[in-house]
Amino acid sequence: MKNITRKTAAVLAGLGLLAGSLAARAEGQIRIAEQFGVVYLLLNVAQDQKLIEKHAKAAGIDAKVEWVKLSGGSAVNDALLSGNIEIAGAGVGPLLTIWDRTKGRQNVKGVASLGNFPYYLVSNNPAVKSIADFTDKDRIALPAVGVSVQSRVLQLASAKLWGDKDFARLDKISVALPHPDAAAAIIKGGTEITGHFGNPPFQEQELAGNPQAHIVLNSYQVLGGPASATVLYATEKFRAENPKTYQAFIEALNDAAQFVAAHPEQAADIYIKVSNAKIDRDLLIKIIKNPEVQFKTTPQNTYQLAEFMHRIGAIKNKPASVKDYFFDDAQNAAGN
């Protein structure tokens, strides 16, 4: 019996060491999902300059950082909930959707903003001057119908024009398409895609590449000013169990924001290199220097969309403030 007890104790001790080893490895692992566009520039800079690894090393851990490219909030949310990524990059709409569905369980919340960017709904149909001019013959491309931030902003604009009961009026002519493909369709013309609710730099490339392309809607007009359309979010479990990795990620983001503000030309070169983007460098620098574009990690002007999504039944839980769907971290303290 004593031998069995000693063996059992040894096994348990071994399991304890194994668990400790696994925890240590997990603390340094972080997989980050991004999508397409300059809105992910902070992540591009962090990747290129290995800023997460730098801050993790300073905290005494060796970080293993993986970057995953996806398209659409639905795909990103699925990857987060299935445990294939630790940090999700998507619009405020997908964040609110997954926050609502995981409340009381995985408790997904926002980590930080990637900055304020005006999103344009661009059309190459000369007859379309406003969203009221779209017909059943038009098709509006966006990342994910009824989920992406572009789709939610379009629904909010529709509700303001036609009333809440018709908030989804334009969903029936909306189609899910990655930004690069949608931009190519708008520039080329002659396809069923006559509208694209995109983001930088694709919207600017469309305006420069097709003389008929024009802005039908600006997200800032709908939201009443600069807004954090694209954000980062994670599960409560990852944040709680990996404090050093989480903090290293936050510090890397802040470093990246400072770098972009101080070195826009170098940031443009990093974007082209990391994203393998085919874009005119001068146009890209102009986008980064646009006064309406603000690279900052504090979320801004997100609550109006949250209130709207609750009002139309898209989310069941109504947040009292941004503090409900963003983690209580320093960069989010002044968020709204």
Side-chain angles (χ1 to χ4, degrees):
M1 288 296 292
K2 289 182 179 179
N3 287 337
I4 293 175
T5 301
R6 282 197 294 267
K7 288 180 180 179
T8 302
V11 170
L12 291 173
L15 289 174
L17 290 172
L18 177 60
S21 175
L22 289 173
R25 285 204 296 273
E27 172 67 66
Q29 177 176 301
I30 183 168
R31 295 164 295 179
I32 304 157
E34 60 177 321
Q35 299 186 58
F36 300 95
V38 177
V39 295
Y40 295 95
L41 182 57
L42 298 190
L43 296 183
N44 300 150
V45 171
Q47 179 180 358
D48 180 73
Q49 299 192 349
K50 298 189 179 301
L51 297 177
I52 302 171
E53 293 90 338
K54 168 190 167 184
H55 285 286
K57 188 174 182 179
I61 58 175
D62 292 323
K64 181 183 178 183
V65 184
E66 296 181 33
W67 302 89
V68 181
K69 183 81 79 172
L70 297 172
S71 179
S74 297
V76 172
N77 285 355
D78 288 344
L80 183 64
L81 293 181
S82 63
N84 289 317
I85 59 172
E86 281 72 48
I87 299 289
V92 173
L95 162 60
L96 290 165
T97 298
I98 197 171
W99 164 78
D100 180 64
R101 294 178 181 176
T102 63
K103 186 175 173 60
R105 297 190 293 276
Q106 298 98 326
N107 290 322
V108 173
K109 290 187 178 184
V111 172
S113 168
L114 283 170
N116 297 336
F117 306 89
Y119 283 9
Y120 304 151
L121 171 53
V122 174
S123 177
N124 59 10
N125 182 349
V128 176
K129 305 298 183 184
S130 74
I131 62 172
D133 298 324
F134 283 110
T135 71
D136 290 340
K137 295 181 180 180
D138 293 294
R139 291 295 179 270
I140 302 171
L142 34 76
V145 181
V147 178
S148 66
V149 67
Q150 287 90 346
S151 185
R152 292 303 187 189
V153 170
L154 185 57
Q155 289 177 346
L156 177 56
S158 298
K160 289 184 175 183
L161 180 62
W162 295 301
D164 281 0
K165 68 181 187 305
D166 285 328
F167 76 91
R169 177 183 286 201
L170 297 177
D171 282 7
K172 63 182 179 181
I173 64 167
S174 298
V175 296
L177 201 62
H179 290 314
D181 297 336
I186 292 295
I187 293 171
K188 179 182 178 181
T191 74
E192 67 171 0
I193 304 298
T194 58
H196 175 214
F197 210 158
N199 67 11
F202 305 104
Q203 56 197 26
E204 286 83 4
Q205 288 178 302
E206 293 163 0
L207 295 171
N210 186 333
Q212 290 189 322
H214 57 281
I215 299 172
V216 175
L217 191 70
N218 182 330
S219 63
Y220 280 9
Q221 296 170 341
V222 181
L223 298 170
S228 303
T230 304
V231 296
L232 301 166
Y233 45 97
T235 63
E236 185 178 60
K237 178 180 171 67
F238 171 72
R239 177 175 177 266
E241 295 183 356
N242 303 272
K244 292 182 180 180
T245 306
Y246 183 88
Q247 188 58 36
F249 178 70
I250 296 298
E251 291 172 358
L253 276 183
N254 290 327
D255 281 0
Q258 293 175 10
F259 179 87
V260 173
H263 310 285
E265 291 86 359
Q266 286 180 253
D269 292 334
I270 289 174
Y271 174 80
I272 292 172
K273 179 176 71 172
V274 173
S275 301
N276 194 27
K278 309 300 181 186
I279 183 173
D280 179 77
R281 183 175 183 270
D282 290 339
L283 176 62
L284 180 57
I285 293 173
K286 183 179 179 181
I287 293 169
I288 295 173
K289 290 184 174 182
N290 180 354
E292 289 192 321
V293 171
Q294 303 162 343
F295 291 96
K296 54 193 292 188
T297 58
T298 299
Q300 184 176 344
N301 198 7
T302 65
Y303 187 73
Q304 181 181 175
L305 206 58
E307 191 279 331
F308 166 70
M309 287 177 63
H310 178 263
R311 195 171 72 237
I312 62 173
I315 56 176
K316 296 179 180 179
N317 298 287
K318 183 179 181 180
S321 73
V322 69
K323 297 184 187 301
D324 284 344
Y325 52 90
F326 270 87
F327 286 120
D328 184 19
D329 297 332
Q331 71 278 1
N332 301 325
N336 57 65

